């Protein structure tokens, strides 16, 4: 009678251990999959942000290309490169901090520098 009880006990334990092992493996795979999903979502949001930045830059460049032939744009680009229209005078202030510290009116001081 003892041997039958032992065989029944083993018959119950083997499937129970196998089922427990499968549950543990499935849980581990589920946890791993959740981590990978979170990493992919983070990567996706980073890529989406980069995509939006690039789209904004592209629209800015397309707008700049569209406006490139306008006289206003050409004049602005010429001024940013140091060109002046005929009759204009350029004032360059090299000591603005010093002027402001001494309590002088910056506009007055600048006008005196230009003469």
């Amino acid at each position: 009678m003892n041997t039958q009880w032992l065989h029944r006990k083993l018959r119950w334990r083997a499937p129970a251990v196998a089922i427990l092992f499968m549950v543990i493996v499935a849980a581990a795979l589920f946890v791993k999959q959740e981590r990978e999903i979170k990493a992919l979502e983070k990567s996706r949001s980073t890529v989406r942000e980069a995509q939006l930045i690039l789209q904004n830059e592209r629209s800015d460049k397309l707008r700049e290309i569209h406006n490139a032939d306008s006289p206003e744009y050409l004049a602005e680009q010429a001024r940013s490169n140091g060109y002046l229209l005929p009759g204009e005078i350029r004032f360059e202030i090299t000591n603005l901090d010093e002027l402001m510290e001494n309590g002088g009116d910056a506009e007055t001081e600048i006008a005196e520098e230009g003469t």
Side-chain angles (χ1 to χ4, degrees):
M1 188 86 134
N2 269 344
T3 58
Q4 282 182 343
W5 175 252
L6 182 61
H7 286 295
R8 278 190 187 169
K9 203 173 187 182
L10 287 177
R11 284 185 198 161
W12 261 96
R13 282 189 181 175
V17 168
I19 290 172
L20 181 63
F21 178 73
M22 288 191 309
V23 167
I24 291 173
V25 168
L29 290 174
F30 180 75
V31 169
K32 180 182 176 189
Q33 186 179 22
E34 284 296 317
R35 286 183 188 159
E36 289 175 353
I37 288 172
K38 286 180 183 177
L40 286 173
E41 286 174 353
K42 183 178 179 182
S43 150
R44 179 181 180 195
S45 67
T46 304
V47 168
R48 182 67 181 148
E49 289 173 8
Q51 181 184 17
L52 290 174
I53 290 170
L54 290 174
Q55 284 177 346
N56 288 339
E57 288 178 6
R58 182 175 185 263
S59 9
D60 290 344
K61 295 298 179 186
L62 287 173
R63 194 175 312 113
E64 187 175 339
I65 288 171
H66 179 71
N67 294 332
D69 290 335
S70 70
E72 296 84 16
Y73 178 80
L74 294 174
E76 178 186 333
Q77 291 300 313
R79 288 183 187 281
S80 67
N81 288 319
Y83 291 98
L84 300 174
L85 288 173
E88 290 185 335
I89 301 171
R90 178 193 331 256
F91 292 95
E92 292 186 23
I93 304 165
T94 57
N95 60 347
L96 182 61
D97 293 334
E98 188 177 313
L99 290 173
M100 297 307 281
E101 286 176 6
N102 292 333
D105 184 12
E107 291 180 23
T108 307
E109 298 285 342
I110 293 168
E112 291 176 4
E113 290 250 341
T115 57

